[in-house]
């Protein structure tokens, strides 16, 4: 066996060990496990190899660390339970973003940060306009291709926590 092949095997085995430990966290007795942690860890490692092509790809290692972190998180037990029960497949798991893998509390934080950022972008765009311009303004929002129309040119009356609802009302 070549040194390169042996090195890949060592990395793959280490990934399986780390994933097995993360999946071995306590689960409710009522949970019917479709797969034992070791078997599931092997299937996840194989899905990662299919996605990234090789264990030598740095994205493979980063994703393994991210998965282990999120699977060990006590506030994220639903992720681990979904895998063990078979509701979430290893192939779908490896395609989830870090935001999707995060526990519900972190997901809310990401969502709030996104909403505030979007809110601040619109305020920034409106404040760059000259005072002679009309009261009704249309500005393209940062990464969106849809235009947002703001009455009186002042979105500051929209609180950041309800900003996503405001955007939905604007049919974006």
């Amino acid at each position: 066996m070549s040194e390169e092949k042996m090195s890949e095997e060592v990395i793959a085995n280490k990934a399986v060990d780390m994933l097995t430990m993360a999946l071995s966290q306590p689960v409710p007795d009522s949970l019917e496990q479709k797969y034992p942690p070791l078997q599931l860890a092997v299937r996840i490692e194989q899905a990662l190899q299919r996605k990234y092509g090789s264990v030598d790809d740095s994205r493979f290692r980063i994703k393994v660390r991210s998965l282990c972190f999120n699977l060990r998180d006590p506030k994220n037990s639903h992720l681990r339970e979904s895998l063990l029960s078979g509701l979430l497949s290893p192939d779908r798991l490896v395609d989830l973003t870090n935001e999707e893998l995060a526990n519900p509390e972190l997901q809310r934080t990401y969502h709030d940060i996104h909403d505030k950022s979007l809110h601040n972008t619109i305020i920034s765009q409106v404040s760059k306009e000259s005072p002679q311009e009309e009261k009704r303004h249309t500005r393209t929002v940062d990464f969106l291709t849809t235009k947002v129309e703001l009455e009186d040119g002042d979105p500051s009356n929209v609180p950041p926590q309800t900003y996503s609802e405001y955007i939905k009302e604007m049919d974006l």
Side-chain angles (χ1 to χ4, degrees):
M1 180 180 275
S2 72
E3 246 182 76
E4 182 180 318
K5 188 72 173 164
M6 202 161 79
S7 174
E8 287 181 8
E9 193 173 306
V10 169
I11 294 169
N13 288 339
K14 179 69 175 170
V16 169
D17 290 344
M18 291 170 60
L19 289 163
T20 302
M21 288 181 63
L23 290 165
S24 297
Q25 302 294 314
V27 293
D29 292 333
S30 60
L31 180 71
E32 187 176 321
Q33 291 187 23
K34 187 173 181 179
Y35 304 105
L38 177 60
Q39 181 184 2
L40 193 54
V42 169
R43 292 183 65 214
I44 294 168
E45 188 273 335
Q46 290 169 344
L48 286 166
Q49 281 200 44
R50 281 192 299 277
K51 180 173 182 166
Y52 298 114
S54 168
V55 297
D56 285 333
D57 190 320
S58 62
R59 295 174 299 168
F60 175 93
R61 294 175 182 164
I62 291 167
K63 190 67 170 190
V64 168
R65 284 191 293 268
S66 175
L67 289 173
C68 289
F69 172 81
N70 285 293
L71 289 168
R72 280 192 312 258
D73 185 351
K75 295 178 183 175
N76 210 0
S77 60
H78 72 283
L79 177 65
R80 188 173 49 259
E81 292 168 11
S82 295
L83 274 167
L84 292 168
S85 67
L87 292 175
L88 179 63
S89 73
D91 288 314
R92 175 70 181 118
L93 174 73
V94 301
D95 286 334
L96 295 176
T97 65
N98 288 338
E99 289 81 12
E100 293 169 322
L101 287 169
N103 69 52
E105 185 179 316
L106 278 175
Q107 286 180 359
R108 279 190 298 281
T109 302
Y110 290 144
H111 181 73
D112 291 346
I113 290 170
H114 177 266
D115 282 354
K116 275 187 179 177
S117 173
L118 189 59
H119 183 259
N120 291 338
T121 300
I122 290 177
I123 289 174
S124 170
Q125 291 294 327
V126 170
S127 66
K128 288 180 183 176
E129 295 178 359
S130 67
Q132 297 91 3
E133 292 187 29
E134 325 176 347
K135 287 288 183 184
R136 184 175 182 88
H137 300 278
T138 302
R139 284 282 168 245
T140 302
V141 178
D142 200 22
F143 53 89
L144 301 176
T145 56
T146 310
K147 295 199 178 218
V148 177
E149 293 184 4
L150 304 170
E151 293 294 330
D152 300 327
D154 184 15
S156 60
N157 60 348
V158 181
Q161 63 271 20
T162 61
Y163 202 69
S164 57
E165 288 84 23
Y166 173 76
I167 293 295
K168 286 176 188 167
E169 288 174 17
M170 299 296 293
D171 292 324
L172 293 177

